[in-house]
Amino acid sequence: MNATSDTVLVVGAGPVGLTAAAQLARFDVSVRVIEALEQPTTESRAVGVHARSLEMLASLGVLERLKALGRRIPALDVVDGRTGRSRNRLDLGDTASRHPYVLDVAQPDTEAVLAERAAELGVVVERGVALTALSQDDDGVDVTLRGADGESTIRVGWVLGADGGHSTTRRLVGTELDGGFHGQHFAMADADVETSYAPDAIRMFTHPDGMGMLFPLAGARARIMFLVDAPPEGRTAPTLAEMQAMADVRMGGAVKMGTPRWLTYFEVHHAQVPQYRFGRVFLAGDAAHIHSPAGAQGMNTGIQDAANLAWKLALVARGRADAALLDTYNDERHPVGAMVVRTTTTLTDVGTASGPQAALRNIAMYLVGHVHVINNAVGSTMAELTINYRDSALSVHHGRAAVKAGEHAPDPAGTAVAVEDLLTTPGFLLVVSGAEHEAALREVLGDLGTVVTADAALVRAYGWPIDGMALIRPDGYLGLVADSAHPDVLRDYLATALRIAMPSSS
Ligand SMILES: Cc1cc2nc3c(=O)[nH]c(=O)nc-3n(C[C@H](O)[C@H](O)[C@H](O)COP(=O)(O)OP(=O)(O)OC[C@H]3O[C@@H](n4cnc5c(N)ncnc54)[C@H](O)[C@@H]3O)c2cc1C
């Protein structure tokens, strides 16, 4: 396949690279995806997909396929592992999303669905091809790829390094992860289980020997993990018998494992690169940040990196916006990555605490389980629903609308069509209240997106007095919010904040 100088090369066909590739293809960008592995992985690493990612995956058109392969989990239960009795429950039912649950689905299934969507959009993953070298200048990037036929060098416009925790792209741009590389150790199994615990919650078991986790997947399948001491030198995986022995002691004797699909030990690291943009090369997902699986944030954060970058890169690669727009990828996503590294480290320390600290942890969990507002705050944070870009240069707010630019666009129940469904049409979504300027607004927005008239539920959600407009970015966040619907306000935003070349208004 040929690659031209505005082609984006995505390195790595994990969940992040595939999300980026499908999004870029949706926005009419020429994309090439290379993947070092000859075959997709069978390791079910990330099993929890949260509300904010589900919203984005809905816009990409894959949510229903994913739901068919997974299990909707509406709660997190903290269980006393000695007795099997529930101590507290974090209920996700009231989180402010159309998807108030975690979707537990094995990562290979998520990747297969994303690869299928990318293929529908014309992107085929080139397997057995690895990035080995790159050099860039002002106009493009020369990349050396190694495949079955040896090495070849091609020129592309941009490179997205979504090549995971051991990223080659990261090394080739001369940066590295900065953080801690020695943390807690876990033993993990992916197996069918027989258990009296209903598959209605992710369960965290507290026990003096160390915590355990049980994630129900589709059918009888489950992910099980235990906090363990550092495994003996040379051991990469526990045996099934060792896992079963821990389950018997730490899970109230109520979990029996069948033949496992995957057994592994892993150690928690927490680190991040100092920046995400290096000229024409970007880092996303595990290539940019690695952390504990506590709270199931890794893949979710990476998917949202991809969603944030894809529409910006599309505007620039297609010659519609100035490349300075791409700096906002780092400005918006680097702080989110830093926050995720911090919170998952704290969550792991809290979850694995012993002695007096465990008693404090149990009190905190009691509060989470029994005080509705704390329950909701924790649930929304875990679902990544509290992430916003209010401080971004792309967030422009005029007037007194109730919802702020930089926040995720409200998608209240009662609207005729969900915002995430409207966003299946690629591009921006301009929600307008007040018909006077609608035709002029359509003209200003042109082929950049779609204009919709706000219905009563949306007008209420934005709190517009009479006129108002909100420009929803393709990743679902609010760029411009104004309590006027004047076309000049929109034109100014597109030209100044997004740096889109606008035809002169005459
Ligand atoms: C045990 C475990 C449990 C986890 N549980 C969760 C969870 O419940 N929820 C969650 O959100 N996250 C979880 N994670 C984290 C999650 O798996 C990662 O965050 C996620 O896989 C990152 O996706 P990625 O696309 O960035 O990288 P990866 O999935 O690592 O994909 C990178 C791809 O790039 C390819 N590649 C590497 N180098 C090259 C090269 N030079 N050229 C071409 N291709 C290359 C690799 O082969 C790989 O396929 C877990 C991780 C582990 C280890």
Side-chain angles (χ1 to χ4, degrees):
M1 187 201 280
N2 287 327
T4 57
S5 63
D6 58 1
T7 295
V8 177
L9 177 75
V10 175
V11 186
V16 177
L18 290 168
T19 303
Q23 290 286 17
L24 286 162
R26 235 162 56 89
F27 301 140
D28 270 342
V29 176
S30 151
V31 192
R32 199 168 160 178
V33 183
I34 56 162
E35 166 55 55
L37 295 178
E38 297 278 357
Q39 296 297 328
T41 176
T42 54
E43 295 179 354
S44 60
R45 290 181 288 157
V47 294
V49 189
H50 288 304
R52 180 53 33 90
S53 304
L54 295 172
E55 293 164 356
M56 287 177 178
L57 294 169
S59 303
L60 191 54
V62 297
L63 183 58
E64 292 311 314
R65 296 180 223 185
L66 216 52
K67 275 160 72 175
L69 297 170
R71 185 185 281 284
R72 293 164 57 144
I73 308 284
L76 172 71
D77 219 0
V78 182
V79 179
D80 184 335
R82 291 165 302 189
T83 62
R85 270 195 227 110
S86 173
R87 285 172 181 273
N88 295 299
R89 203 172 169 90
L90 172 70
D91 191 354
L92 300 173
D94 279 346
T95 43
S97 169
R98 287 184 187 248
H99 312 289
Y101 53 87
V102 182
L103 185 70
D104 272 4
V105 53
Q107 188 168 320
D109 289 340
T110 305
E111 291 180 12
V113 165
L114 288 167
E116 183 183 65
R117 182 72 183 117
E120 286 165 8
L121 293 158
V123 183
V124 176
V125 176
E126 299 169 50
R127 293 201 159 271
V129 180
L131 172 76
T132 57
L134 70 75
S135 67
Q136 59 175 312
D137 54 41
D138 288 348
D139 302 320
V141 192
D142 293 314
V143 287
T144 304
L145 310 181
R146 189 175 52 227
D149 302 332
E151 285 201 334
S152 59
T153 298
I154 59 161
R155 189 165 175 80
V156 294
W158 311 89
V159 174
L160 172 58
D163 45 353
H166 300 287
S167 170
T168 302
T169 316
R170 187 175 67 219
R171 178 173 54 76
L172 293 174
V173 294
T175 193
E176 55 186 30
L177 290 165
D178 182 18
F181 297 93
H182 297 287
Q184 295 89 340
H185 293 264
F186 288 89
M188 209 176 82
D190 172 356
D192 284 356
V193 296
E194 276 178 41
T195 176
S196 52
Y197 297 114
D200 61 351
I202 293 168
R203 284 189 169 73
M204 175 183 153
F205 296 83
T206 59
H207 193 277
D209 290 359
M211 55 95 81
M213 298 285 299
L214 176 66
F215 298 78
L217 294 163
R221 190 173 176 183
R223 146 77 57 82
I224 294 162
M225 54 195 252
F226 298 106
L227 179 69
V228 292
D229 293 333
E233 191 72 25
R235 290 276 308 273
T236 56
T239 62
L240 178 61
E242 286 166 336
M243 288 299 288
Q244 186 61 58
M246 286 188 274
D248 290 344
V249 173
R250 301 191 203 179
M251 291 183 161
V255 176
K256 292 280 167 250
M257 282 176 242
T259 310
R261 291 176 173 80
W262 187 37
L263 291 164
T264 189
Y265 286 121
F266 71 91
E267 183 178 4
V268 169
H269 306 304
H270 39 92
Q272 189 185 24
V273 289
Q275 66 191 71
Y276 287 8
R277 181 181 180 196
F278 298 83
R280 290 175 165 269
V281 182
F282 306 87
L283 299 174
D286 278 19
H289 44 78
I290 51 166
H291 32 83
S292 150
Q297 306 288 294
M299 181 179 75
N300 289 278
T301 307
I303 284 176
Q304 289 167 58
D305 291 342
N308 184 292
L309 177 62
W311 65 270
K312 298 171 182 173
L313 192 48
L315 282 174
V316 175
R318 287 169 43 217
R320 301 295 298 268
D322 189 279
L325 174 63
L326 298 170
D327 287 338
T328 66
Y329 167 60
N330 179 75
D331 297 347
E332 293 184 343
R333 292 305 298 174
H334 193 277
V336 172
M339 185 265 295
V340 169
V341 171
R342 275 194 311 276
T343 49
T344 53
T345 304
T346 308
L347 262 181
T348 312
D349 291 344
V350 168
T352 58
S354 55
Q357 284 171 328
L360 283 176
R361 188 248 343 262
N362 294 344
I363 294 169
M365 286 184 166
Y366 179 86
L367 291 174
V368 171
H370 290 80
V371 182
H372 187 249
V373 38
I374 302 181
N375 179 108
N376 267 4
V378 173
S380 299
T381 304
M382 204 175 85
E384 304 202 334
L385 294 172
T386 51
I387 288 171
N388 69 73
Y389 308 128
R390 283 195 288 256
D391 296 333
S392 167
L394 301 187
S395 303
V396 174
H397 197 92
H398 295 291
R400 285 171 311 201
V403 180
K404 296 279 175 271
E407 294 175 354
H408 199 258
D411 198 359
T415 50
V417 188
V419 169
E420 64 186 33
D421 292 334
L422 291 167
L423 283 171
T424 54
T425 304
F428 293 90
L429 191 62
L430 184 68
V431 179
V432 182
S433 167
E436 191 190 346
H437 298 296
E438 214 171 292
L441 287 167
R442 271 181 217 284
E443 202 171 311
V444 172
L445 192 62
D447 63 355
L448 291 168
T450 314
V451 178
V452 292
T453 309
D455 60 17
L458 274 178
V459 170
R460 253 196 321 279
Y462 283 97
W464 284 319
I466 302 169
D467 286 356
M469 67 178 158
L471 188 69
I472 302 174
R473 309 173 353 171
D475 58 2
Y477 284 84
L478 291 163
L480 168 71
V481 179
D483 60 5
S484 99
H486 201 284
D488 287 348
V489 175
L490 177 65
R491 183 179 290 107
D492 185 55
Y493 174 77
L494 294 172
T496 312
L498 292 181
R499 307 179 72 115
I500 291 174
M502 299 297 294
S504 59
S505 59
S506 54

